[in-house]
Amino acid sequence: MKRKWRLGVISACAIGFIASAAHAQSPAEKVYVPPGKHDEFYAFLSGGFSGQLSVYGLPSGRLIKVIPVFSVNPENGYGYSEETKALLMTSHGFIPWGDTHHPELSQTNGVPDGRWIFINENNTPRVARIDLKTFETIEILEIPNSGGNHASAFVTPNTEYITAGTRFSVPIPQKDVPIASYAENFKGTLTFIRADKPGKMEVAFQILVPGYDYDLAHCGKGPSYGWCFFTSYNTEQAHTLLEINASQKDKDYIAAVNWKRAEQCIKEGKYHVMKTEYYHNYMPDPEGDRIAISEVKKEVKVIIPKECKGVLYFLPTPKSPHGVDVDPSGEYIIAGGKLSTVLPIHSFSKMIKAIENKDFVGEVDGIPILRYEAISYCEVPNPCLGPLHTEFDGKGYAYTSCFITSEVIKVDYKKCKVVDRAPTYYAVGHLMIPGGDSAKPWGKYLLPMNKITKDRFIPTGPELFHVGQLYDISGGKMQLLSDIAEIGEPHYAQAIPASLVAPKTLKIFELEKNDHPYVTKSEEEAKVVRKGNEVHIYMTTIRSHFTPDNIEGIKVGDTVYFHVTNIEQDWDVPHGFAVFGAENAELLVMPGETRTLVWKPKKPGVYPFYCTDFCSALHQEMQGYVRVSPRDANVPIKYGTGDEMKTVR
Ligand code: K7E
Ligand code: CUA
């Protein structure tokens, strides 16, 4: 009897959990996504110095993919396969690493639309487009006339443009000058990149600006559509010991760019064509041959603000601002202020009025500086120390991260007051609400990303993963739900309901559409072709063998190209390819795809190759051999799988 009664209690409890509204959920229940069930949101976290983009499910915090973007990824051959190398080409050569900061989803009418996500690279200035059909990088554009691309890759409401801005001013064009000539020779650029068509990213124009450090950006929407806002620091123009020398002034500037006006100036010919060199890399046919190519661009259009009146205004902003965030309505512009004791909020409508009234307090290089009081909506009193970044919940609240005091504050920004605060562990940088920088936030969760982890996880020696923390913000008070281990340093993140992305994702590449020049569509077509010192191996994979799997006639001094086509047409059946002694990486080949690995054998012998992805019960049997003979040997090309070895004389 007693046992039965106990069972009864357990099942009642289970029903209560499923109905969920029956009682207030615990944090554990709020993040628990049962096995086999899906998360509500995709979250995309930049990888910082990993150069990649991590994909998590929210609310579970489960890591579901790492998308290689600016760093090579031996795990799947990104940057190692012949098809992907071109993506990482720059005017400085092949760059295997990058520092990603700000992912930004494409938007339609100011709302994330789930087509693409963009992300910037700070060190060797670039931006990338990731296709959310395949979750892979399909395009990378280098930014000319830049030294460090940080204020990037923020979108305009219809993805007309993404932004870029020079974090480190440099001589433009580059030249050999004394560093001490900073004030005279160094400049910045604010760049607008046409981004609405895949494969067609281009620098539409750059605006030449004074030599400050341009830090963050966000673009206007609603009434402020047509504008983008960039923070700057180091208006002192220091070139050494910036921690002291760039913290002298009370206020630095937000640069307000009227990009509609810039378009007009371009139309009217008010620009200069500057000679330069930069790379545009893209996959022209991401579902066909899937081969990336590089184009070298030689010039760029540059606008000089004093020749295009009205294109740019400076908004004084306290003090060494970092983030700049525009609320969903487009009226309120909230700035971080790393060293500020107030949280400044600018009003867009007041800014426009101040421009009409010429309410200026001076100018720099022909750029009017607006009067602070004329544009200020308010200063939120006693916010916290070190406010950095703000996101919005769409219900009238802003959430601002505070680095120094390690907390997030919830601000009723129209009333200009703090209404809630919650500690974060520790030293929070960016924070993210799904859609939180768009016109339509899905204000259910908040994810602050912390710079210091310390004791949050079981220790792993001196180097620790960063920690993100998920808060429930659906109620009046922020509630901490869970800690999420992050890869690299996620500076910023984006999230979008899974329902806007998942139905459009691709499961396989259609073999029929594969027009790679070295595709092998059936085992009958597999072959080995010698062209002088080059040997091209047209190889297929299917559970659980390679065709061919025995290859002879390779010689020391040959360059061997393994063109591996995975002829499977089922979801989630990749095959891997690795060959003994290869100096690059493996290939992970998706169904219907062709990928190429180059191999230069150095010594005679017999070299095994095998499938690296446990694809079937006979995966361990999925292997083969390449025979390598001395340079002067007389061994003919011979290949096959099973009985028939074909000989090529
Ligand atoms: Cu780390 Cu946006 Cu690069 Cu602030 S940035 S934290
Ligand atoms: Cu194919 Cu393992």
Side-chain angles (χ1 to χ4, degrees):
M1 262 326 272
K2 208 168 187 188
R3 195 168 283 171
K4 236 182 185 174
W5 179 79
R6 267 204 197 140
L7 276 173
V9 170
I10 287 164
S11 61
C13 220
I15 288 162
F17 169 68
I18 288 157
S20 82
H23 67 286
Q25 282 186 313
S26 69
E29 286 167 320
K30 286 181 181 177
V31 298
Y32 184 66
V33 176
K37 297 284 183 247
H38 289 177
D39 278 292
E40 188 182 350
F41 291 96
Y42 286 102
F44 301 90
L45 278 61
S46 84
F49 38 72
S50 88
Q52 318 294 45
L53 182 69
S54 316
V55 187
Y56 288 81
L58 291 184
S60 74
R62 297 184 293 203
L63 175 68
I64 51 179
K65 191 175 177 63
V66 175
I67 303 172
V69 188
F70 295 108
S71 294
V72 295
N73 190 41
E75 183 185 349
N76 66 356
Y78 179 85
Y80 293 96
S81 68
E82 293 307 290
E83 290 79 6
T84 54
K85 280 179 179 169
L87 286 170
L88 301 180
M89 283 304 298
T90 75
S91 61
H92 306 271
F94 178 87
I95 303 275
W97 169 86
D99 180 16
T100 56
H101 283 244
H102 309 114
E104 180 96 332
L105 288 156
S106 58
Q107 297 185 355
T108 302
N109 296 322
V111 181
D113 57 24
R115 285 181 295 167
W116 312 296
I117 187 159
F118 302 96
I119 192 162
N120 68 315
E121 204 274 278
N122 189 60
N123 186 52
T124 305
R126 286 172 286 172
V127 290
R129 180 198 307 269
I130 290 128
D131 191 344
L132 292 182
K133 237 173 126 179
T134 54
F135 284 60
E136 67 179 4
T137 305
I138 58 166
E139 187 171 17
I140 292 180
L141 179 72
E142 189 180 4
I143 313 298
N145 293 331
S146 177
N149 175 32
H150 195 261
S152 183
F154 299 97
V155 295
T156 56
N158 290 302
T159 320
E160 296 96 336
Y161 299 104
I162 54 175
T163 62
T166 39
R167 164 122 170 250
F168 314 114
S169 282
V170 286
I172 292 176
Q174 270 291 7
K175 58 185 171 192
D176 169 22
V177 295
I179 298 167
S181 71
Y182 186 110
E184 171 198 338
N185 280 318
F186 288 39
K187 293 275 177 225
T189 52
L190 305 177
T191 302
F192 285 73
I193 298 143
R194 200 78 215 182
D196 48 356
K197 293 196 184 76
K200 299 268 193 292
M201 283 208 285
E202 63 170 344
V203 176
F205 53 87
Q206 299 192 297
I207 302 173
L208 195 68
V209 285
Y212 308 151
D213 290 44
Y214 295 87
D215 205 9
L216 266 299
H218 262 106
C219 294
K221 45 193 168 260
S224 53
Y225 176 75
W227 292 77
C228 292
F229 306 92
F230 297 76
T231 48
S232 70
Y233 61 98
N234 192 24
T235 54
E236 295 87 348
Q237 300 196 296
H239 55 82
T240 183
L241 197 63
L242 265 65
E243 68 169 312
I244 294 169
N245 295 331
S247 306
Q248 300 298 309
K249 289 193 183 168
D250 217 37
K251 294 192 175 66
D252 296 278
Y253 303 126
I254 285 174
V257 174
N258 183 339
W259 57 262
K260 284 278 176 194
R261 174 70 187 132
E263 285 178 339
Q264 237 172 30
C265 290
I266 294 288
K267 250 189 222 139
E268 291 164 8
K270 291 178 183 156
Y271 63 89
H272 300 255
V273 174
M274 259 180 86
K275 299 278 174 222
T276 177
E277 191 189 282
Y278 58 105
Y279 273 63
H280 176 222
N281 312 317
Y282 65 104
M283 249 191 252
D285 193 359
E287 290 172 46
D289 66 16
R290 301 185 35 71
I291 299 174
I293 58 169
S294 295
E295 283 169 0
V296 183
K297 305 267 182 169
K298 295 283 186 190
E299 45 180 53
V300 66
K301 291 173 181 154
V302 177
I303 293 172
I304 294 175
K306 66 173 171 229
E307 299 170 357
C308 172
K309 288 274 176 240
V311 76
L312 177 56
Y313 298 89
F314 279 145
L315 320 182
T317 303
K319 174 180 182 175
S320 298
H322 186 51
V324 53
D325 299 282
V326 184
D327 90 305
S329 78
E331 162 65 11
Y332 302 94
I333 302 156
I334 303 187
K338 290 168 301 206
L339 304 173
S340 172
T341 51
V342 293
L343 186 67
I345 305 182
H346 299 318
S347 151
F348 178 76
S349 53
K350 286 182 77 175
M351 179 192 97
I352 292 298
K353 224 172 261 152
I355 292 170
E356 283 167 6
N357 297 338
K358 296 202 162 41
D359 205 342
F360 306 145
V361 293
E363 61 167 53
V364 197
D365 294 355
I367 303 158
I369 303 166
L370 297 172
R371 190 168 58 86
Y372 178 69
E373 293 71 21
I375 56 161
S376 170
Y377 174 71
C378 72
E379 291 178 345
V380 181
N382 304 317
C384 59
L385 292 181
L388 291 185
H389 298 285
T390 298
E391 292 262 297
F392 302 90
D393 67 358
K395 300 166 201 157
Y397 297 102
Y399 293 75
T400 300
S401 58
C402 307
F403 181 83
I404 297 173
T405 44
S406 283
E407 62 184 326
V408 174
I409 55 171
K410 177 179 178 181
V411 181
D412 182 334
Y413 54 94
K414 283 178 202 159
K415 292 199 182 129
C416 209
K417 67 170 193 220
V418 176
V419 296
D420 188 24
R421 53 181 77 229
T424 59
Y425 308 93
Y426 309 90
V428 56
H430 273 275
L431 36 56
M432 180 273 287
I433 291 171
D437 67 340
S438 76
K440 193 192 135 196
W442 295 274
K444 190 168 174 186
Y445 299 110
L446 171 74
L447 182 73
M449 289 157 277
N450 302 301
K451 301 299 186 189
I452 295 173
T453 306
K454 295 274 188 200
D455 53 8
R456 299 304 288 182
F457 303 131
I458 44 176
T460 53
E463 188 179 341
L464 307 170
F465 262 16
H466 282 219
V467 59
Q469 290 177 310
L470 192 68
Y471 288 75
D472 178 357
I473 54 164
S474 60
K477 292 256 169 209
M478 290 178 261
Q479 183 192 21
L480 178 58
L481 301 178
S482 64
D483 282 7
I484 296 172
E486 301 164 334
I487 295 177
E489 181 184 352
H491 290 268
Y492 190 40
Q494 294 266 282
I496 185 168
S499 59
L500 295 182
V501 173
K504 294 186 268 188
T505 54
L506 212 64
K507 290 193 164 72
I508 58 162
F509 297 108
E510 281 175 51
L511 194 55
E512 222 162 85
K513 286 193 199 160
N514 182 337
D515 51 1
H516 190 293
Y518 293 97
V519 65
T520 312
K521 294 203 175 179
S522 68
E523 295 185 351
E524 291 67 46
E525 291 170 33
K527 62 186 174 188
V528 179
V529 178
R530 174 179 284 286
K531 277 188 194 156
N533 284 340
E534 280 184 10
V535 179
H536 293 272
I537 299 170
Y538 295 69
M539 182 181 270
T540 63
T541 62
I542 197 160
R543 281 160 290 182
S544 302
H545 58 274
F546 294 99
T547 307
D549 69 0
N550 277 208
I551 300 156
E552 298 191 351
I554 310 292
K555 294 176 207 170
V556 172
D558 284 344
T559 300
V560 181
Y561 293 85
F562 292 96
H563 305 287
V564 184
T565 302
N566 181 354
I567 59 175
E568 304 273 2
Q569 290 287 270
D570 285 333
W571 193 22
D572 202 17
V573 191
H575 292 284
F577 176 82
V579 59
F580 183 25
E583 289 174 297
N584 40 11
E586 70 149 345
L587 298 172
L588 193 63
V589 192
M590 295 301 129
E593 182 185 48
T594 303
R595 283 289 180 254
T596 302
L597 194 80
V598 174
W599 184 55
K600 292 185 184 175
K602 295 196 184 69
K603 288 182 258 179
V606 177
Y607 293 80
F609 58 84
Y610 71 105
C611 172
T612 48
D613 186 297
F614 208 111
C615 49
S616 63
L618 294 171
H619 154 81
Q620 287 301 83
E621 283 71 14
M622 194 164 171
Q623 62 177 52
Y625 289 105
V626 197
R627 175 180 168 195
V628 177
S629 303
R631 199 181 287 264
D632 53 1
N634 223 345
V635 181
I637 293 278
K638 219 175 173 186
Y639 59 91
T641 294
D643 295 335
E644 326 117 49
M645 286 279 274
K646 284 184 196 139
T647 306
V648 185
R649 296 261 170 207

mmCIF file of all heavy atoms in Angstrom, residues 481-513:
data_model
loop_
_atom_site.group_PDB
_atom_site.id
_atom_site.type_symbol
_atom_site.label_atom_id
_atom_site.label_comp_id
_atom_site.label_asym_id
_atom_site.label_seq_id
_atom_site.Cartn_x
_atom_site.Cartn_y
_atom_site.Cartn_z
ATOM 1 N N LEU A 481 19.850 31.934 -13.609
ATOM 2 C CA LEU A 481 19.437 30.552 -13.853
ATOM 3 C C LEU A 481 20.612 29.594 -13.933
ATOM 4 O O LEU A 481 20.574 28.517 -13.350
ATOM 5 C CB LEU A 481 18.631 30.461 -15.161
ATOM 6 C CG LEU A 481 17.350 31.299 -15.267
ATOM 7 C CD1 LEU A 481 16.721 31.111 -16.631
ATOM 8 C CD2 LEU A 481 16.363 30.919 -14.160
ATOM 9 N N SER A 482 21.640 29.970 -14.693
ATOM 10 C CA SER A 482 22.709 28.987 -14.908
ATOM 11 C C SER A 482 23.993 29.648 -15.377
ATOM 12 O O SER A 482 23.988 30.790 -15.830
ATOM 13 C CB SER A 482 22.270 27.959 -15.953
ATOM 14 O OG SER A 482 22.081 28.599 -17.199
ATOM 15 N N ASP A 483 25.078 28.908 -15.248
ATOM 16 C CA ASP A 483 26.387 29.306 -15.771
ATOM 17 C C ASP A 483 26.659 28.521 -17.043
ATOM 18 O O ASP A 483 26.412 27.317 -17.093
ATOM 19 C CB ASP A 483 27.496 28.981 -14.753
ATOM 20 C CG ASP A 483 27.559 30.000 -13.620
ATOM 21 O OD1 ASP A 483 26.664 30.866 -13.545
ATOM 22 O OD2 ASP A 483 28.499 29.916 -12.810
ATOM 23 N N ILE A 484 27.176 29.195 -18.048
ATOM 24 C CA ILE A 484 27.438 28.553 -19.333
ATOM 25 C C ILE A 484 28.919 28.712 -19.663
ATOM 26 O O ILE A 484 29.452 29.818 -19.630
ATOM 27 C CB ILE A 484 26.562 29.186 -20.438
ATOM 28 C CG1 ILE A 484 25.077 28.911 -20.136
ATOM 29 C CG2 ILE A 484 26.949 28.657 -21.813
ATOM 30 C CD1 ILE A 484 24.110 29.644 -21.038
ATOM 31 N N ALA A 485 29.592 27.603 -19.957
ATOM 32 C CA ALA A 485 31.018 27.644 -20.308
ATOM 33 C C ALA A 485 31.159 28.090 -21.755
ATOM 34 O O ALA A 485 30.475 27.580 -22.641
ATOM 35 C CB ALA A 485 31.639 26.274 -20.115
ATOM 36 N N GLU A 486 32.042 29.047 -21.969
ATOM 37 C CA GLU A 486 32.169 29.658 -23.291
ATOM 38 C C GLU A 486 33.537 29.357 -23.909
ATOM 39 O O GLU A 486 34.506 29.116 -23.194
ATOM 40 C CB GLU A 486 32.018 31.179 -23.175
ATOM 41 C CG GLU A 486 30.697 31.625 -22.586
ATOM 42 C CD GLU A 486 30.716 33.071 -22.122
ATOM 43 O OE1 GLU A 486 31.806 33.599 -21.797
ATOM 44 O OE2 GLU A 486 29.645 33.679 -22.076
ATOM 45 N N ILE A 487 33.591 29.443 -25.223
ATOM 46 C CA ILE A 487 34.846 29.205 -25.944
ATOM 47 C C ILE A 487 35.480 30.544 -26.291
ATOM 48 O O ILE A 487 34.800 31.443 -26.792
ATOM 49 C CB ILE A 487 34.581 28.377 -27.207
ATOM 50 C CG1 ILE A 487 34.085 26.980 -26.800
ATOM 51 C CG2 ILE A 487 35.837 28.280 -28.074
ATOM 52 C CD1 ILE A 487 33.712 26.096 -27.957
ATOM 53 N N GLY A 488 36.776 30.668 -26.040
ATOM 54 C CA GLY A 488 37.483 31.918 -26.337
ATOM 55 C C GLY A 488 36.942 33.019 -25.441
ATOM 56 O O GLY A 488 36.669 32.809 -24.264
ATOM 57 N N GLU A 489 36.782 34.196 -26.008
ATOM 58 C CA GLU A 489 36.217 35.308 -25.250
ATOM 59 C C GLU A 489 35.031 35.877 -26.002
ATOM 60 O O GLU A 489 35.204 36.663 -26.928
ATOM 61 C CB GLU A 489 37.252 36.418 -25.036
ATOM 62 C CG GLU A 489 36.666 37.568 -24.224
ATOM 63 C CD GLU A 489 37.610 38.746 -24.050
ATOM 64 O OE1 GLU A 489 38.778 38.654 -24.426
ATOM 65 O OE2 GLU A 489 37.139 39.774 -23.527
ATOM 66 N N PRO A 490 33.832 35.467 -25.621
ATOM 67 C CA PRO A 490 32.679 36.026 -26.320
ATOM 68 C C PRO A 490 32.512 37.488 -25.929
ATOM 69 O O PRO A 490 32.207 37.801 -24.781
ATOM 70 C CB PRO A 490 31.504 35.194 -25.809
ATOM 71 C CG PRO A 490 32.108 34.021 -25.143
ATOM 72 C CD PRO A 490 33.432 34.478 -24.626
ATOM 73 N N HIS A 491 32.762 38.365 -26.890
ATOM 74 C CA HIS A 491 32.552 39.775 -26.595
ATOM 75 C C HIS A 491 31.060 40.052 -26.670
ATOM 76 O O HIS A 491 30.459 40.504 -25.723
ATOM 77 C CB HIS A 491 33.341 40.629 -27.579
ATOM 78 C CG HIS A 491 34.806 40.530 -27.352
ATOM 79 N ND1 HIS A 491 35.486 41.398 -26.545
ATOM 80 C CD2 HIS A 491 35.717 39.645 -27.792
ATOM 81 C CE1 HIS A 491 36.765 41.059 -26.508
ATOM 82 N NE2 HIS A 491 36.932 39.993 -27.261
ATOM 83 N N TYR A 492 30.485 39.706 -27.799
ATOM 84 C CA TYR A 492 29.072 39.993 -27.981
ATOM 85 C C TYR A 492 28.397 38.720 -28.468
ATOM 86 O O TYR A 492 29.063 37.735 -28.816
ATOM 87 C CB TYR A 492 28.913 41.136 -28.994
ATOM 88 C CG TYR A 492 27.523 41.715 -29.124
ATOM 89 C CD1 TYR A 492 26.707 41.916 -28.011
ATOM 90 C CD2 TYR A 492 27.024 42.074 -30.374
ATOM 91 C CE1 TYR A 492 25.436 42.468 -28.159
ATOM 92 C CE2 TYR A 492 25.766 42.635 -30.525
ATOM 93 C CZ TYR A 492 24.973 42.826 -29.411
ATOM 94 O OH TYR A 492 23.723 43.378 -29.566
ATOM 95 N N ALA A 493 27.084 38.744 -28.474
ATOM 96 C CA ALA A 493 26.314 37.589 -28.918
ATOM 97 C C ALA A 493 25.001 38.064 -29.515
ATOM 98 O O ALA A 493 24.610 39.223 -29.353
ATOM 99 C CB ALA A 493 26.060 36.653 -27.748
ATOM 100 N N GLN A 494 24.354 37.164 -30.198
ATOM 101 C CA GLN A 494 23.021 37.413 -30.737
ATOM 102 C C GLN A 494 22.207 36.152 -30.493
ATOM 103 O O GLN A 494 22.766 35.061 -30.394
ATOM 104 C CB GLN A 494 23.090 37.675 -32.254
ATOM 105 C CG GLN A 494 23.817 38.949 -32.611
ATOM 106 C CD GLN A 494 22.897 40.127 -32.773
ATOM 107 O OE1 GLN A 494 22.232 40.292 -33.771
ATOM 108 N NE2 GLN A 494 22.860 40.984 -31.756
ATOM 109 N N ALA A 495 20.894 36.293 -30.440
ATOM 110 C CA ALA A 495 20.051 35.102 -30.357
ATOM 111 C C ALA A 495 18.767 35.353 -31.106
ATOM 112 O O ALA A 495 18.327 36.502 -31.262
ATOM 113 C CB ALA A 495 19.770 34.728 -28.908
ATOM 114 N N ILE A 496 18.171 34.271 -31.561
ATOM 115 C CA ILE A 496 16.972 34.359 -32.393
ATOM 116 C C ILE A 496 16.134 33.114 -32.136
ATOM 117 O O ILE A 496 16.697 32.032 -31.900
ATOM 118 C CB ILE A 496 17.380 34.491 -33.891
ATOM 119 C CG1 ILE A 496 16.154 34.702 -34.798
ATOM 120 C CG2 ILE A 496 18.188 33.278 -34.371
ATOM 121 C CD1 ILE A 496 16.519 35.130 -36.226
ATOM 122 N N PRO A 497 14.788 33.246 -32.148
ATOM 123 C CA PRO A 497 13.970 32.049 -31.964
ATOM 124 C C PRO A 497 14.347 30.969 -32.986
ATOM 125 O O PRO A 497 14.534 31.269 -34.168
ATOM 126 C CB PRO A 497 12.543 32.557 -32.210
ATOM 127 C CG PRO A 497 12.593 34.007 -31.858
ATOM 128 C CD PRO A 497 13.971 34.464 -32.277
ATOM 129 N N ALA A 498 14.459 29.754 -32.508
ATOM 130 C CA ALA A 498 14.849 28.644 -33.387
ATOM 131 C C ALA A 498 13.875 28.504 -34.552
ATOM 132 O O ALA A 498 14.261 28.132 -35.660
ATOM 133 C CB ALA A 498 14.923 27.353 -32.584
ATOM 134 N N SER A 499 12.613 28.869 -34.299
ATOM 135 C CA SER A 499 11.593 28.707 -35.348
ATOM 136 C C SER A 499 11.875 29.575 -36.577
ATOM 137 O O SER A 499 11.345 29.323 -37.648
ATOM 138 C CB SER A 499 10.218 29.058 -34.779
ATOM 139 O OG SER A 499 10.227 30.398 -34.310
ATOM 140 N N LEU A 500 12.710 30.615 -36.439
ATOM 141 C CA LEU A 500 13.024 31.475 -37.581
ATOM 142 C C LEU A 500 14.219 30.965 -38.387
ATOM 143 O O LEU A 500 14.536 31.512 -39.447
ATOM 144 C CB LEU A 500 13.308 32.908 -37.110
ATOM 145 C CG LEU A 500 12.130 33.652 -36.485
ATOM 146 C CD1 LEU A 500 12.537 35.074 -36.105
ATOM 147 C CD2 LEU A 500 10.932 33.691 -37.432
ATOM 148 N N VAL A 501 14.899 29.955 -37.867
ATOM 149 C CA VAL A 501 16.103 29.464 -38.539
ATOM 150 C C VAL A 501 15.985 27.974 -38.891
ATOM 151 O O VAL A 501 16.244 27.566 -40.030
ATOM 152 C CB VAL A 501 17.357 29.688 -37.653
ATOM 153 C CG1 VAL A 501 18.591 29.040 -38.264
ATOM 154 C CG2 VAL A 501 17.600 31.185 -37.432
ATOM 155 N N ALA A 502 15.553 27.189 -37.912
ATOM 156 C CA ALA A 502 15.597 25.726 -38.063
ATOM 157 C C ALA A 502 14.903 25.208 -39.330
ATOM 158 O O ALA A 502 15.470 24.364 -40.035
ATOM 159 C CB ALA A 502 15.011 25.067 -36.821
ATOM 160 N N PRO A 503 13.689 25.707 -39.663
ATOM 161 C CA PRO A 503 13.008 25.126 -40.836
ATOM 162 C C PRO A 503 13.763 25.348 -42.144
ATOM 163 O O PRO A 503 13.529 24.645 -43.112
ATOM 164 C CB PRO A 503 11.659 25.870 -40.865
ATOM 165 C CG PRO A 503 11.501 26.471 -39.519
ATOM 166 C CD PRO A 503 12.875 26.736 -39.001
ATOM 167 N N LYS A 504 14.672 26.347 -42.172
ATOM 168 C CA LYS A 504 15.355 26.671 -43.426
ATOM 169 C C LYS A 504 16.723 25.993 -43.553
ATOM 170 O O LYS A 504 17.414 26.168 -44.551
ATOM 171 C CB LYS A 504 15.543 28.189 -43.528
ATOM 172 C CG LYS A 504 14.216 28.932 -43.654
ATOM 173 C CD LYS A 504 14.426 30.413 -43.909
ATOM 174 C CE LYS A 504 14.460 31.189 -42.600
ATOM 175 N NZ LYS A 504 14.471 32.637 -42.750
ATOM 176 N N THR A 505 17.125 25.251 -42.516
ATOM 177 C CA THR A 505 18.481 24.700 -42.568
ATOM 178 C C THR A 505 18.551 23.540 -43.557
ATOM 179 O O THR A 505 17.577 22.836 -43.798
ATOM 180 C CB THR A 505 18.950 24.217 -41.179
ATOM 181 O OG1 THR A 505 17.969 23.308 -40.667
ATOM 182 C CG2 THR A 505 19.130 25.357 -40.217
ATOM 183 N N LEU A 506 19.739 23.378 -44.102
ATOM 184 C CA LEU A 506 19.982 22.346 -45.112
ATOM 185 C C LEU A 506 20.411 21.048 -44.421
ATOM 186 O O LEU A 506 21.140 21.084 -43.432
ATOM 187 C CB LEU A 506 21.135 22.839 -45.995
ATOM 188 C CG LEU A 506 21.153 22.449 -47.455
ATOM 189 C CD1 LEU A 506 19.954 23.041 -48.179
ATOM 190 C CD2 LEU A 506 22.444 22.958 -48.092
ATOM 191 N N LYS A 507 19.979 19.909 -44.965
ATOM 192 C CA LYS A 507 20.375 18.625 -44.369
ATOM 193 C C LYS A 507 21.517 17.968 -45.130
ATOM 194 O O LYS A 507 22.396 17.346 -44.553
ATOM 195 C CB LYS A 507 19.172 17.689 -44.323
ATOM 196 C CG LYS A 507 18.106 18.130 -43.311
ATOM 197 C CD LYS A 507 17.099 17.012 -43.087
ATOM 198 C CE LYS A 507 16.260 17.233 -41.844
ATOM 199 N NZ LYS A 507 15.275 18.321 -41.985
ATOM 200 N N ILE A 508 21.483 18.080 -46.443
ATOM 201 C CA ILE A 508 22.566 17.517 -47.268
ATOM 202 C C ILE A 508 22.819 18.471 -48.432
ATOM 203 O O ILE A 508 22.010 19.336 -48.727
ATOM 204 C CB ILE A 508 22.187 16.132 -47.869
ATOM 205 C CG1 ILE A 508 20.912 16.256 -48.721
ATOM 206 C CG2 ILE A 508 22.012 15.074 -46.786
ATOM 207 C CD1 ILE A 508 20.703 15.106 -49.674
ATOM 208 N N PHE A 509 23.967 18.288 -49.068
ATOM 209 C CA PHE A 509 24.192 18.940 -50.357
ATOM 210 C C PHE A 509 23.763 17.945 -51.434
ATOM 211 O O PHE A 509 24.129 16.769 -51.366
ATOM 212 C CB PHE A 509 25.663 19.316 -50.510
ATOM 213 C CG PHE A 509 26.113 20.308 -49.485
ATOM 214 C CD1 PHE A 509 26.959 19.930 -48.439
ATOM 215 C CD2 PHE A 509 25.672 21.621 -49.531
ATOM 216 C CE1 PHE A 509 27.352 20.842 -47.472
ATOM 217 C CE2 PHE A 509 26.068 22.544 -48.564
ATOM 218 C CZ PHE A 509 26.909 22.155 -47.533
ATOM 219 N N GLU A 510 22.970 18.428 -52.381
ATOM 220 C CA GLU A 510 22.511 17.499 -53.419
ATOM 221 C C GLU A 510 23.657 17.163 -54.356
ATOM 222 O O GLU A 510 24.253 18.052 -54.968
ATOM 223 C CB GLU A 510 21.361 18.140 -54.202
ATOM 224 C CG GLU A 510 20.046 18.069 -53.462
ATOM 225 C CD GLU A 510 18.960 18.819 -54.223
ATOM 226 O OE1 GLU A 510 18.810 18.560 -55.434
ATOM 227 O OE2 GLU A 510 18.300 19.660 -53.591
ATOM 228 N N LEU A 511 23.911 15.874 -54.477
ATOM 229 C CA LEU A 511 25.002 15.405 -55.336
ATOM 230 C C LEU A 511 24.786 15.896 -56.774
ATOM 231 O O LEU A 511 25.723 16.251 -57.478
ATOM 232 C CB LEU A 511 25.058 13.875 -55.281
ATOM 233 C CG LEU A 511 26.314 13.208 -55.834
ATOM 234 C CD1 LEU A 511 27.577 13.731 -55.173
ATOM 235 C CD2 LEU A 511 26.213 11.690 -55.680
ATOM 236 N N GLU A 512 23.526 15.928 -57.155
ATOM 237 C CA GLU A 512 23.189 16.368 -58.503
ATOM 238 C C GLU A 512 23.652 17.796 -58.792
ATOM 239 O O GLU A 512 24.026 18.121 -59.904
ATOM 240 C CB GLU A 512 21.670 16.300 -58.668
ATOM 241 C CG GLU A 512 21.223 15.752 -60.000
ATOM 242 C CD GLU A 512 19.779 15.311 -59.912
ATOM 243 O OE1 GLU A 512 18.903 16.173 -60.095
ATOM 244 O OE2 GLU A 512 19.554 14.116 -59.615
ATOM 245 N N LYS A 513 23.599 18.650 -57.764
ATOM 246 C CA LYS A 513 23.988 20.061 -57.957
ATOM 247 C C LYS A 513 25.494 20.267 -57.831
ATOM 248 O O LYS A 513 25.987 21.373 -58.031
ATOM 249 C CB LYS A 513 23.311 20.929 -56.892
ATOM 250 C CG LYS A 513 21.830 21.156 -57.094
ATOM 251 C CD LYS A 513 21.410 22.291 -56.158
ATOM 252 C CE LYS A 513 19.914 22.304 -55.922
ATOM 253 N NZ LYS A 513 19.578 23.063 -54.692
#
